[in-house]
């Protein structure tokens, strides 16, 4: 994974090739805080990976129709907006911009997010 600087205190980070991420699948990045990239309905999304109800990875959840369901207590989040769609979650997860360049998926992360070199931790 490589990172490049961008304007507005955002670093653009290469996640993986487009062909490496299937529909209704996710890849988690080894960042602090953790983020995951999701593909659903042919679209790509990046959100903070930790459920806001209780500390659990959303990349391990069920993904369908641009929604991810946390496997711990079934809270659902809209991948487009980060908003919770049902209890027990009441707080949104952060969202981040995604762009496709040269067949690769890139995400824009705030400079405040720590990122380890080679920080992709695998698909969910």
């Amino acid at each position: 994974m490589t990172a490049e600087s961008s304007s507005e205190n955002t670093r653009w980070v290469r996640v993986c090739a487009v062909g490496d991420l299937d529909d209704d699948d996710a890849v988690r990045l080894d960042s602090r805080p953790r983020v995951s990239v999701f593909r659903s309905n042919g679209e790509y999304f990046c959100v903070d990976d930790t459920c806001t109800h209780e500390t659990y990875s959303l990349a391990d959840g069920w993904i369908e129709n641009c929604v991810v369901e946390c496997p711990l207590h079934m809270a659902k989040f809209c991948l487009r907006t980060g908003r919770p769609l049902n209890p027990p979650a009441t707080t949104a997860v952060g969202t981040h911009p995604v762009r496709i360049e040269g067949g690769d998926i890139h995400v824009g992360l705030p400079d405040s997010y720590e990122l380890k070199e080679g920080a992709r931790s695998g698909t969910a």
Side-chain angles (χ1 to χ4, degrees), residues 7-18:
S7 61
E8 301 177 271
N9 299 323
T10 299
R11 284 180 296 168
W12 285 95
V13 179
R14 181 192 177 276
V15 177
C16 63
V18 169

Side-chain angles (χ1 to χ4, degrees), residues 49-58 70 72-73 75 77 88-89:
D49 182 61
T50 304
C51 179
T52 58
H53 167 251
E54 196 163 321
T55 306
Y56 207 82
S57 172
L58 294 175
C70 179
L72 191 58
H73 294 117
F77 296 89

